[in-house]
Amino acid sequence: MTQPRPTPLRHSPPSGLYLGEGRDGEPVVVPTAALNTHVAVVGAAGSGKTWMAKVLAEEAVRNGIPVIAIDPQGDLVQFLQRRDEREVPPALLPMYRELAERVEPRIFTPGSSHGTRLALDPIRLPHRDDLAAIEGEARRAEEEDNMIQAVAVNLASLASASGDRSSQETFLLQVLRGMKRREAVDLADVVHHVRDPELSGIDDPTVFIKDSARTNLAMKLTSLVHGTAANLFSGGVPLDIDAMLRPSAEGRVPLNVIYLNAMTNDDQKQFFVASLASEIYRWMVTSASAEGGRTSFLFYLDEARDYLPAGAKRPMAKEPLLRLFSQGRKYGVGCLICTQSPRSVDYNAFGNCSSKVIGRLESAQDVERVSEWFSTEGGAPSWLKGRKGADAGSFVARWAGDGDHKKGRSLRGRLLYSAHEGAWSPDRVEREVREAGGG
């Protein structure tokens, strides 16, 4: 795509998320607190939507907020490569250099060693003690069971065993409940308990699942340990949110990119994103403070339509992601989604995004959908019709708490400080990681 034309900065921006310049030449700066209430970036292909979402990620890091980003295609791994300083206008150099001094880009590649390989084994299960901050024994037990249930649903989905999926999920839930006193369990251990349910205290497994279906489920799960899908559960470093948020040196801010394009199929991608979303939720409930305040980190999902599709479609990752959007702000986990069409992503995800950045829209139906977002706030804004056919790199931003500009701020996005070119292939990622000294 044609890169959006950057505009020079005429004034030194205050602290916050500097997105670009408005029509009046004034800097458009969003407070970092807006990340807590989630952000949606929408724009047609070639509009600069990914560019703008990457600007938001850079600005989060510049302001000391770590990022965990899902990269389905190869656009976000380019954070690894810094733009040549000679291309940066003098007025932007202080911010460019500030980011360069702070950012610690890391490239993770689940299922492969093109970057830092990530493994989903062992599987973390919650301890009741981890949930001590939740008031009420019944509420703690409910939260614990919800997290264990998410693991059961994810495993049953990836196993894709024939038969009734509901009975498989219910049986796996009973097995995991019997293992829940351990902080983490190996997938091979889960298989062992499925084959011998008495190990989980299940005397009569036929109450939950037929013996033939249980045998089939055990075989499918065994293939995840030893078969073609074992790449997700073996090798590399375990998925660990605390480690992702921990800088290697004081003053650094991690920018974690999880590159999915080296994975073998869509089911594996869905399973990994579902597992990551479930693990972030477990981390929130057991580690993060439920009190308002500073953003713990920014979770960035590119090409959101594949994982949060509109309508009745229920891919594996959808429910765990929607739970992040509904609960994340309580724990200081901000979410950022980026998509081409506002009609392609589940309405509930957009409904939880208090801040929206709208680029060029493709159709009258897209304009109508965005209009619905603002219907509860006094009707469609006057600028909305102008978004259809708008210039690449131009946006209108509205964010939580922006009382001075409730109708929206028109802006042209700032220059990106990192690379932005065609999507990187797995081989390109491997080469760039090696040259950067990370592999």
Side-chain angles (χ1 to χ4, degrees), residues 50-65:
T50 301
W51 177 289
M52 177 52 67
K54 289 170 73 172
V55 164
L56 279 159
E58 286 185 345
E59 287 296 299
V61 171
R62 191 178 67 81
N63 283 272
I65 299 170

Side-chain angles (χ1 to χ4, degrees), residues 202-402:
I202 302 173
D203 296 327
D204 184 8
T206 60
V207 172
F208 308 106
I209 190 171
K210 295 179 180 178
D211 282 338
S212 58
R214 179 169 59 84
T215 300
N216 185 35
L217 177 62
M219 291 177 62
K220 290 290 188 177
L221 290 172
T222 299
S223 73
L224 300 181
V225 180
H226 301 291
T228 56
N231 58 324
L232 283 179
F233 296 93
S234 60
V237 299
L239 176 62
D240 185 332
I241 303 302
D242 280 321
M244 285 184 169
L245 302 182
R246 189 182 306 123
S248 63
E250 187 177 355
R252 290 286 184 172
V253 181
L255 200 171
N256 306 279
V257 178
I258 301 174
Y259 176 71
L260 303 183
N261 212 28
M263 300 175 79
T264 58
N265 57 56
D266 287 340
D267 284 346
Q268 286 195 8
K269 294 176 184 178
Q270 288 283 344
F271 177 76
F272 182 85
V273 174
S275 298
L276 174 63
S278 297
E279 176 57 15
I280 290 175
Y281 183 78
R282 187 202 67 81
W283 177 89
M284 289 190 319
V285 174
T286 61
S287 303
S289 171
E291 298 176 1
R294 179 174 170 77
T295 306
S296 300
F297 68 90
L298 179 66
F299 174 72
Y300 172 11
L301 177 65
D302 199 30
E303 300 298 338
R305 69 179 184 275
D306 295 331
Y307 302 94
L308 285 166
K313 294 180 181 178
R314 314 301 286 186
M316 212 182 307
K318 187 172 183 177
E319 287 301 324
L321 286 171
L322 286 177
R323 185 168 57 174
L324 276 190
F325 276 82
S326 65
Q327 299 293 320
R329 64 182 66 192
K330 184 166 60 176
Y331 296 95
V333 175
C335 296
L336 167 63
I337 54 173
C338 181
T339 191
Q340 290 185 18
S341 170
R343 293 175 294 141
S344 66
V345 171
D346 190 277
Y347 189 87
N348 291 305
F350 283 129
N352 274 295
C353 292
S354 298
S355 299
K356 298 179 175 70
V357 185
I358 313 298
R360 185 180 72 240
L361 298 177
E362 198 109 72
S363 66
Q365 289 88 346
D366 286 341
V367 173
E368 183 179 351
R369 175 54 56 86
V370 175
S371 176
E372 292 173 5
W373 293 348
F374 301 121
S375 62
T376 60
E377 303 175 34
S382 58
W383 50 260
L384 185 54
K385 289 184 179 180
R387 288 290 86 202
K388 187 173 182 293
D391 293 339
S394 70
F395 297 87
V396 176
R398 287 179 57 163
W399 59 90
D402 186 26

Side-chain angles (χ1 to χ4, degrees), residues 59-182:
E59 287 296 299
V61 171
R62 191 178 67 81
N63 283 272
I65 299 170
V67 173
I68 297 177
I70 300 293
D71 185 2
Q73 297 183 335
D75 293 316
L76 309 189
V77 284
Q78 295 169 39
F79 283 126
L80 194 63
Q81 192 177 94
R82 192 183 309 164
R83 178 182 292 278
D84 191 324
E85 185 171 304
R86 292 170 295 182
E87 300 176 15
V88 181
L92 295 182
L93 279 174
M95 286 189 295
Y96 169 89
R97 290 169 179 164
E98 183 182 20
L99 178 67
E101 290 173 359
R102 284 193 162 191
V103 66
E104 185 177 332
R106 303 165 177 173
I107 309 301
F108 294 96
T109 50
S112 83
S113 298
H114 291 85
T116 298
R117 185 167 179 161
L118 268 183
L120 293 176
D121 217 0
I123 300 166
R124 293 174 180 265
L125 297 177
H127 274 182
R128 188 68 60 88
D129 292 344
D130 294 335
L131 306 173
I134 299 176
E135 294 185 6
E137 176 64 23
R139 184 70 185 89
R140 284 194 292 273
E142 180 183 285
E143 196 65 76
E144 180 186 22
D145 215 46
N146 285 341
M147 286 185 266
I148 296 174
Q149 184 176 357
V151 175
V153 169
N154 291 346
L155 282 176
S157 296
L158 184 63
S160 297
S162 59
D164 179 46
R165 178 68 56 79
S166 178
S167 65
Q168 295 166 21
E169 293 172 358
T170 301
F171 174 63
L172 279 172
L173 176 60
Q174 310 312 311
V175 168
L176 293 171
R177 279 172 174 166
M179 305 170 73
K180 66 184 178 182
R181 294 303 173 190
R182 297 172 55 183

